[in-house]
Amino acid sequence: MAAYASLLSLMQIFHQLQHHPSPPISMDKKQVESLTEIVMFLQEFLEGYKSPYADGDEADPLEMHIADSVYAAEDIIESHIVHQIRPSVLVWYEALSDVIESMGLINESSALILETIVFQIRCLRKDKVIKDMDWIIAVKGELLQRQASSSADSSTSVDLLYESEVKVIEYMDLIRKEVMQIFALKDQLNRIYSESGIPRAPVFESLVKVIEGMDLIKKEVMEIVALEEERRVSTSSNLHKSLQKVIEDMDVIKKEVVALKDQQVSSFASSSTSSKESSLSMLNNTTMVGFDDVMLQLMEKLVYGELGRQVIPIVGMGGIGKTTLAEHVYAHQSISRHFDICVWVTISQQYDTKDLLREILSQANKQGSSQISKEDEIGLALHKCLSYRRYLIVLDDMWSIEAWEKLQRYFPDNSNGSRIMVTTRLSNLGSQLDTNYDLEMKFMDEISSWNMFCKIVFRGKSCPLELEKIGKKIVHSCKGLPLSIVAIGGLLETMEQTKECWESIRESMSSLVNLENDKHCLKILKLSYNHLPVYLKPCFLYLGMFEEDSKIRVSRVIKLWVSEGFLKPISGKSLETIAKEYLDELVNRNLIIIHKLGSTGNMKYCKIHDLLRDLCIKEAQKERFYDVVRPHSPQGTCSQRRVAILGSTSKEKVIDAMKSRPYARTCISDSEKVELLSYWKLLRTLRLRDEGRFPGHSLEKLYELVNLRLLVVRFHYFSQVLSSLNFLWSLQTLIVFSSEITINAPVEIWNMSQLRHVKAEDSMLLLPDPPSDNIVIMENLQSLKGILNLKCDEMMVRRIPNIKKLGLQYYGDGITGFREIESHGDHFCVQNIKLLQKLESLSCAFREPSRSDLFRKLTFPHSLKSLTLSMFVNKIEDVLDKVSTLPLLQKLKLRGGYFATRKWETVEDGFLSLKFLSLDIRTLECWTMESSHFPCLEHLHLRDMHHLKLPAEVGEIPTLKSVVLRECSISAAKSAKRVVEEQEELQGEDQLSFKVEVKISCSEDYTLLRSLATPNFKVV
């Protein structure tokens, strides 16, 4: 697996170098051809290779030999790129720092001088650095003379000098000023020394020692300068020699493979991803087979038990269905109707009490994340919120009684039937939580197991008679564990339904019969992993780098996979499209589950079961694919190319992880302690904490990470480091979280041809006008988000022909100054957006009240699928006709603005593909429509609609699934209630195709509406 991923990664490096307009290095054409030929051969071999080590706990020596050879090639090429791109003056700085350290001159004085020189070097002002060094040496003689004239010392005078002269300085000119002040204080210092009778100050001795050190430093630096040209000439020949050794090694491997190829039996061919029912629904429908009685028993305990607050533990081994059972009960209509507040949080082995309390409070009061900072204050606010309300809280995956003790004191006993449901693998913990009752999950019987298996493999149809006997033996080997059945069913569903294929799986499982339950389950899961196509294996294992029980954003995973370089290119498809297909295939194989769908039915978040994540980490470590650094990880040098650092890891562990992995290519972390990036000069993927407070990551040396492909960071003042962005020659994804209102991008960003995604969060990115003398077509660029005042002229349209997602904001005075361009109404050329023929998602925000002409001129391409318009005082009628005729539009959000007539009359043949509609327009009072006007609408969201009443025709839309009203008027909510009642009479309460949810913060209105709540009309 790691070998295959490395081969694809090396090919991506070749591709980037070959297609870059200004490649950082040139490689010997014959060497590239030789390497490419060998890599393609090995890649094809691994696609059909069945490793004899697959079932064991050791890595395949052949695969690791391939991986190590490819890693060597990558190290040679990317190290050479580092030396070629990084300016000579940065190399001088490193030598300068090393010399100071080796001479033992690291003290406060030398550190100040060095800091100043470093500043000049970072600004790439080589001439000024050398000039200032010469000046310091010239001062040396005068300082020596001044030292000789000093005759006394005083602690007071030392403090005075430290505060007045030896302080942090930013410019070398300030050093000169400070030294001149020393001479100006000559008489005063002599007088102090004479009167005190204390020995003379050693400060001048320190200064002279620094100057002497600087003298040696200058000599060292000048030697480096003299050798720089010689080094540049020699490195090219070194690159050639080093690569030649790698080619020879890989050629030996190729010969070994040729010898093996005739003996190797190719693995079973797997079916390609096909269009079929989502495994989310299959999983939900199949995993409760055989648990109906348990589900009813649990629901009765929740609804009809004693009035006092009660804890209900659900106990069982991993993969037995605890969470699935809890989810089904939690989502049941009778449960959501019975309780005033329903909350679900996941605890896991590593948890933060404050974060858990904040999440529980957020779900309980429906007001988003709390701004309260202290744990006790959050707990008290939660206690107040839950008081006098009947609540259900689910604490999923609890591992210790300590976690319960820290949380439970904030859960009041209201004597009204409140319940706390806890899932845990630990039976002793279950008895500690409640001595009278716990629900212990049992293994499934043979009949239920077989029924579940058939539903997964045959989609509810009967098993062919010739496979039934073998199939039942396979199911028997799963020992009634639902996760094992789901995993093995997902595997067999993708294989040929022949006796030979099934018999091979049965034989593999027959050796697992006598293993303990946990080991047995892991072995079955590993069997499913072993039969994955090789192109899916690195993608699946990668998911183990995320925190346990975390919801994983799909867009994040896709960007990471692309940056890693282990997606195999397919002609006519973007890498992002390939990644989405891989995710769908993993879902269909039941190796990951869909956690949340987006508004148009796309997968937004996914999750991976704990046991499957454990398998991922174990297999990844075996093949040195990545390492997950945790609080109890062992220290020492590791050779993994990727590292995930969990948020609870100590600073010492973080530093050790960085120092011991000098060849790391990937760092994924939500730890605030990842700052020493200079250890990882070959880094390609860097994703640091992007939630919570600004950690202030040390990015001053960002320019040293020249091979970065993905950069996701939260930083106070990112503009300070953006000036060095152009050094990152292969950057593909840039996502910045900053405390600045605007971030000014350098003009060089328009020469970064590898860019695919650029996004500014919590701020706006101001892109300069592209240079007119050097037109680089950004063919790879797919998304630009958080962009301020983009000028979409014809030249811009030419530069970004393949853009798919645009997030634009147009502001006036106070941000960038509309005043200077008020006389030029066409300055931003928003009418040209329609020329972006591949644009699928557009978000536009207009914040300037006097620029309504921009809004009127806005036009859209027919390729658009998602549109969000945030308006200030713009007339909505100006764009509605343009929007309604977009043939592919599935998602529409309208915020702000106004209806001039306060009415909206929709017509036939508009919004033909619309699935999601969100309106946040206070002026709308009347909406006249027919159900046929929105033939595909599934979700309708209304916000702050104080005068609108929901049209009865909305309930007649046959595709409708949900209506959400947030902070709307009582009359709007009551009109929605009438729509529900009308449709319940026609369709029946249990058969109603849609549900209405009303979210309201006013306590009086909430009390009134709560009395109207039904399973199809929810009030929160």
Side-chain angles (χ1 to χ4, degrees):
M1 179 282 308
Y4 187 79
S6 67
L7 291 168
L8 290 173
S9 175
L10 182 59
M11 288 303 298
Q12 186 179 81
I13 294 176
F14 289 159
H15 182 272
Q16 287 184 316
L17 288 171
Q18 290 169 1
H19 293 84
H20 198 284
S22 302
I25 62 171
S26 59
M27 296 180 62
D28 183 274
K29 186 177 180 181
K30 290 185 178 180
Q31 284 190 328
V32 173
E33 290 174 353
S34 297
L35 279 169
T36 301
E37 187 272 329
I38 297 173
V39 166
M40 297 299 290
F41 172 82
L42 294 175
Q43 186 176 307
E44 182 181 353
F45 164 72
L46 290 175
E47 287 172 349
Y49 178 57
K50 185 176 181 180
S51 172
Y53 294 82
D55 296 328
D57 295 326
E58 296 181 2
D60 188 318
L62 174 60
E63 290 195 45
M64 296 317 298
H65 192 181
I66 294 173
D68 289 339
S69 295
V70 176
Y71 292 158
E74 286 186 332
D75 292 345
I76 292 167
I77 295 170
E78 292 183 318
S79 296
H80 187 65
I81 290 173
V82 168
H83 290 302
Q84 291 297 110
I85 289 184
R86 293 170 66 234
S88 304
V89 71
L90 298 179
V91 181
W92 303 341
Y93 158 63
E94 288 180 350
L96 180 149
S97 178
D98 291 342
V99 171
I100 285 185
E101 187 172 356
S102 66
M103 294 191 317
L105 292 179
I106 295 298
N107 54 40
E108 297 215 17
S109 302
S110 61
L112 294 174
I113 296 175
L114 181 58
E115 180 181 347
T116 303
I117 295 174
V118 170
F119 176 83
Q120 302 290 359
I121 290 174
R122 286 180 183 150
C123 296
L124 305 182
R125 297 169 69 179
K126 165 187 167 185
D127 295 339
K128 184 166 179 55
V129 174
I130 302 300
K131 178 181 177 182
D132 289 331
M133 284 182 176
D134 288 337
W135 176 82
I136 291 178
I137 294 169
V139 173
K140 175 181 175 181
E142 293 186 53
L143 286 175
L144 287 171
Q145 182 179 356
R146 178 64 189 87
Q147 180 194 11
S149 64
S150 300
S151 59
D153 185 30
S154 163
S155 59
T156 304
S157 64
V158 171
D159 291 341
L160 177 62
L161 278 172
Y162 180 80
E163 295 176 4
S164 302
E165 282 80 38
V166 190
K167 61 182 181 179
V168 176
I169 53 179
E170 294 182 347
Y171 301 97
M172 200 63 90
D173 287 338
L174 191 54
I175 297 178
R176 185 178 307 177
K177 177 181 177 182
E178 297 295 320
V179 173
M180 293 306 294
Q181 288 179 354
I182 292 175
F183 294 119
L185 289 171
K186 174 181 177 180
D187 295 337
Q188 180 183 354
L189 291 173
N190 280 333
R191 188 165 53 251
I192 293 174
Y193 296 153
S194 299
E195 293 174 358
S196 66
I198 299 174
R200 60 193 180 90
V203 66
F204 292 110
E205 295 179 8
S206 298
L207 285 173
V208 170
K209 187 176 181 182
V210 172
I211 297 305
E212 289 174 347
M214 294 302 296
D215 197 1
L216 294 176
I217 290 168
K218 183 185 177 183
K219 289 174 64 178
E220 184 77 16
V221 170
M222 296 313 295
E223 287 178 11
I224 294 174
V225 173
L227 291 172
E228 180 60 22
E229 287 304 316
E230 181 182 346
R231 185 195 66 80
R232 285 189 175 275
V233 173
S234 65
T235 50
S236 294
S237 61
N238 289 338
L239 172 66
H240 187 278
K241 291 178 182 178
S242 300
L243 276 182
Q244 195 59 41
K245 291 180 181 178
V246 172
I247 292 172
E248 292 170 1
D249 184 40
M250 293 183 72
D251 202 42
V252 172
I253 296 174
K254 180 181 175 182
K255 292 176 181 177
E256 292 180 26
V257 168
V258 170
L260 281 174
K261 211 169 182 184
D262 293 335
Q263 305 170 14
Q264 177 63 55
V265 179
S266 61
S267 59
F268 294 113
S270 58
S271 61
S272 60
T273 303
S274 59
S275 176
K276 48 188 173 182
E277 182 185 357
S278 167
S279 281
L280 173 67
S281 59
M282 286 297 299
L283 202 57
N284 286 339
N285 291 333
T286 58
T287 50
M288 289 312 299
V289 172
F291 287 107
D292 292 342
D293 292 342
V294 178
M295 185 172 173
L296 289 174
Q297 176 188 344
L298 180 58
M299 292 176 64
E300 288 179 2
K301 194 70 176 176
L302 289 172
V303 175
Y304 300 113
E306 59 189 53
L307 290 178
R309 188 195 77 176
Q310 188 174 3
V311 182
I312 303 176
I314 305 175
V315 181
M317 67 168 288
I320 204 167
K322 303 181 298 295
T323 299
T324 304
L325 173 64
E327 284 175 341
H328 277 73
V329 171
Y330 182 81
H332 200 277
Q333 285 187 3
S334 63
I335 297 299
S336 58
R337 183 176 182 178
H338 179 73
F339 291 97
D340 301 320
I341 294 175
C342 293
V343 173
W344 180 296
V345 292
T346 302
I347 309 294
S348 301
Q349 296 186 60
Q350 304 295 330
Y351 64 90
D352 184 289
T353 307
K354 184 167 68 173
D355 289 345
L356 287 172
L357 289 171
R358 182 179 283 115
E359 176 62 23
I360 296 171
L361 177 60
S362 173
Q363 293 186 38
N365 63 17
K366 306 294 182 182
Q367 293 181 3
S369 180
S370 171
Q371 299 302 312
I372 307 173
S373 59
K374 293 184 179 180
E375 182 178 309
D376 285 344
E377 293 178 358
I378 299 173
L380 291 173
L382 173 62
H383 190 281
K384 181 179 179 181
C385 178
L386 297 178
S387 295
Y388 309 109
R389 313 276 288 279
R390 182 189 295 142
Y391 59 83
L392 168 64
I393 297 176
V394 181
L395 304 177
D396 186 34
D397 198 20
M398 184 177 286
W399 284 81
S400 69
I401 193 65
E402 289 78 17
W404 166 251
E405 294 296 342
K406 291 177 181 178
L407 296 174
Q408 65 90 18
R409 58 196 178 116
Y410 299 115
F411 302 155
D413 186 350
N414 300 322
S415 299
N416 60 359
S418 293
R419 299 287 183 263
I420 299 148
M421 194 158 50
V422 179
T423 70
T424 179
R425 299 186 194 182
L426 310 177
S427 57
N428 61 332
L429 178 59
S431 60
Q432 287 178 285
L433 293 171
D434 192 301
T435 56
N436 299 317
Y437 175 84
D438 66 11
L439 178 61
E440 186 171 353
M441 299 289 290
K442 306 295 183 182
F443 292 102
M444 298 174 66
D445 58 34
E446 291 283 346
I447 295 175
S448 299
S449 298
W450 176 248
N451 290 338
M452 173 185 284
F453 176 81
C454 290
K455 282 192 174 184
I456 294 172
V457 179
F458 305 110
R459 301 278 163 172
K461 298 179 181 178
S462 300
C463 172
L465 290 177
E466 65 272 16
L467 296 177
E468 186 171 328
K469 185 176 180 180
I470 304 174
K472 287 188 175 180
K473 289 181 180 180
I474 292 173
V475 172
H476 177 77
S477 297
C478 292
K479 293 186 175 182
L481 188 65
L483 182 62
S484 297
I485 298 170
V486 168
I488 210 69
L491 167 61
L492 289 173
E493 184 194 9
T494 64
M495 297 177 66
E496 295 180 28
Q497 292 183 4
T498 63
K499 283 186 177 181
E500 292 76 18
C501 287
W502 282 40
E503 185 62 36
S504 69
I505 298 300
R506 188 201 65 77
E507 290 177 358
S508 298
M509 297 180 68
S510 62
S511 62
L512 311 179
V513 173
N514 296 322
L515 294 176
E516 296 176 6
N517 287 333
D518 283 340
K519 292 182 178 179
H520 179 271
C521 182
L522 275 175
K523 286 291 185 180
I524 290 180
L525 298 180
K526 185 177 179 181
L527 181 64
S528 186
Y529 164 75
N530 287 341
H531 282 78
L532 281 176
V534 68
Y535 62 82
L536 278 182
K537 287 183 176 180
C539 298
F540 172 64
L541 293 192
Y542 202 88
L543 299 176
M545 296 181 73
F546 294 93
E547 292 268 11
E548 181 183 5
D549 291 318
S550 63
K551 59 179 184 179
I552 305 170
R553 189 164 185 113
V554 166
S555 59
R556 176 185 304 179
V557 173
I558 289 173
K559 291 181 178 68
L560 286 167
W561 284 356
V562 170
S563 74
E564 292 288 355
F566 50 56
L567 297 176
K568 185 178 181 180
I570 299 175
S571 178
K573 292 183 179 180
S574 69
L575 292 175
E576 286 77 5
T577 298
I578 296 169
K580 289 177 183 178
E581 292 177 355
Y582 284 7
L583 273 170
D584 288 340
E585 194 165 350
L586 289 173
V587 169
N588 289 328
R589 290 172 177 271
N590 294 335
L591 292 176
I592 61 173
I593 59 174
I594 301 172
H595 178 70
K596 184 179 180 180
L597 296 174
S599 53
T600 57
N602 55 308
M603 181 172 27
K604 191 171 184 178
Y605 289 95
C606 65
K607 294 188 77 171
I608 182 170
H609 193 280
D610 291 353
L611 288 178
L612 283 166
R613 179 176 178 268
D614 292 342
L615 172 68
C616 288
I617 294 174
K618 183 178 179 181
E619 289 296 307
Q621 290 177 337
K622 181 180 80 173
E623 298 199 36
R624 305 198 309 271
F625 189 56
Y626 64 72
D627 189 26
V628 177
V629 179
R630 290 166 280 196
H632 304 294
S633 299
Q635 290 185 326
T637 302
C638 301
S639 56
Q640 280 88 345
R641 311 285 278 193
R642 301 167 184 85
V643 58
I645 302 176
L646 303 187
S648 55
T649 309
S650 67
K651 186 170 184 178
E652 291 74 20
K653 288 280 186 183
V654 172
I655 294 175
D656 176 72
M658 300 180 75
K659 285 184 176 180
S660 60
R661 295 164 177 83
Y663 294 101
R665 295 305 201 273
T666 297
C667 174
I668 299 177
S669 176
D670 29 356
S671 170
E672 298 182 3
K673 308 173 187 74
V674 179
E675 298 179 359
L676 308 176
L677 299 179
S678 58
Y679 290 122
W680 288 339
K681 290 184 172 63
L682 298 178
L683 210 60
R684 292 194 297 229
T685 298
L686 177 62
R687 183 178 184 95
L688 299 182
R689 183 182 177 95
D690 63 359
E691 297 177 358
R693 298 180 179 179
F694 287 91
H697 289 297
S698 178
L699 297 182
E700 289 84 354
K701 294 187 179 181
L702 178 65
Y703 50 74
E704 296 190 14
L705 310 179
V706 299
N707 290 309
L708 272 182
R709 295 177 186 169
L710 179 142
L711 177 62
V712 182
V713 288
R714 181 177 286 274
F715 195 65
H716 282 293
Y717 302 108
F718 197 77
S719 293
Q720 296 175 357
V721 296
L722 268 181
S723 58
S724 57
L725 198 64
N726 60 305
F727 287 124
L728 313 183
W729 74 279
S730 60
L731 190 66
Q732 297 175 343
T733 297
L734 175 65
I735 301 178
V736 181
F737 298 75
S738 177
S739 59
E740 297 171 282
I741 297 177
T742 60
I743 304 173
N744 293 295
V747 70
E748 289 84 2
I749 196 171
W750 294 114
N751 295 327
M752 300 178 68
S753 61
Q754 301 298 314
L755 277 175
R756 306 177 78 89
H757 307 281
V758 177
K759 183 179 182 180
E761 292 273 11
D762 305 330
S763 57
M764 295 172 287
L765 184 65
L766 183 61
L767 297 175
D769 290 337
S772 56
D773 58 340
N774 182 25
I775 300 177
V776 175
I777 305 301
M778 312 283 282
E779 292 185 354
N780 295 304
L781 191 62
Q782 297 184 35
S783 64
L784 282 172
K785 294 185 176 181
I787 308 302
L788 176 63
N789 293 350
L790 181 70
K791 183 179 179 182
C792 197
D793 57 15
E794 292 184 6
M795 188 62 69
M796 180 65 68
V797 172
R798 280 187 59 195
R799 284 180 182 270
I800 55 173
N802 298 319
I803 199 78
K804 290 185 177 181
K805 296 182 179 181
L806 268 181
L808 309 177
Q809 300 192 53
Y810 289 95
Y811 276 76
D813 304 342
I815 299 292
T816 57
F818 256 62
R819 291 173 180 170
E820 60 182 79
I821 56 171
E822 275 195 15
S823 59
H824 307 287
D826 295 332
H827 179 79
F828 294 118
C829 308
V830 294
Q831 67 274 12
N832 287 334
I833 290 178
K834 70 178 179 182
L835 302 178
L836 300 171
Q837 293 302 310
K838 294 187 178 181
L839 188 66
E840 296 180 358
S841 175
L842 174 65
S843 174
C844 270
F846 298 89
R847 310 296 188 189
E848 172 58 40
S850 64
R851 303 306 299 172
S852 57
D853 56 329
L854 275 180
F855 183 72
R856 287 195 301 270
K857 291 176 181 178
L858 191 62
T859 56
F860 314 102
H862 283 182
S863 57
L864 209 60
K865 296 180 180 180
S866 174
L867 175 62
T868 298
L869 295 177
S870 299
M871 301 151 280
F872 192 76
V873 290
N874 306 104
K875 193 168 81 170
I876 296 174
E877 289 94 337
D878 290 339
V879 296
L880 270 180
D881 288 342
K882 305 174 192 176
V883 171
S884 64
T885 57
L886 293 173
L888 304 179
L889 189 68
Q890 297 181 12
K891 181 178 180 179
L892 175 62
K893 291 184 177 182
L894 299 175
R895 301 170 179 165
Y898 67 96
F899 280 91
T901 61
R902 298 184 177 270
K903 297 179 181 180
W904 185 22
E905 296 184 13
T906 55
V907 296
E908 298 281 353
D909 300 323
F911 302 109
L912 294 178
S913 301
L914 196 67
K915 294 182 178 180
F916 180 92
L917 175 61
S918 175
L919 300 175
D920 182 357
I921 307 167
R922 294 190 176 190
T923 58
L924 183 59
E925 297 180 1
C926 179
W927 182 6
T928 304
M929 53 91 71
E930 298 291 336
S931 60
S932 59
H933 296 174
F934 297 92
C936 298
L937 190 66
E938 297 179 357
H939 306 284
L940 174 63
H941 285 212
L942 304 177
R943 184 186 182 100
D944 285 335
M945 308 294 263
H946 299 309
H947 307 289
L948 180 69
K949 294 182 179 180
L950 192 68
E953 291 79 4
V954 167
E956 300 171 6
I957 299 175
T959 55
L960 192 66
K961 295 180 180 179
S962 70
V963 178
V964 177
L965 280 68
R966 185 185 294 270
E967 303 303 333
C968 293
S969 64
I970 286 288
S971 59
K974 288 183 176 179
S975 67
K977 174 65 174 177
R978 286 193 294 272
V979 171
V980 169
E981 291 173 341
E982 290 174 5
Q983 293 304 312
E984 284 179 341
E985 290 181 6
L986 296 173
Q987 302 180 36
E989 182 177 348
D990 295 336
Q991 286 74 41
L992 189 64
S993 58
F994 68 91
K995 299 182 185 304
V996 173
E997 181 175 278
V998 179
K999 299 181 179 181
I1000 196 162
S1001 58
C1002 177
S1003 57
E1004 293 181 3
D1005 292 345
Y1006 176 85
T1007 303
L1008 175 62
L1009 291 174
R1010 180 69 188 173
S1011 62
L1012 303 177
T1014 65
N1016 294 321
F1017 185 81
K1018 188 175 181 181
V1019 180
V1020 295

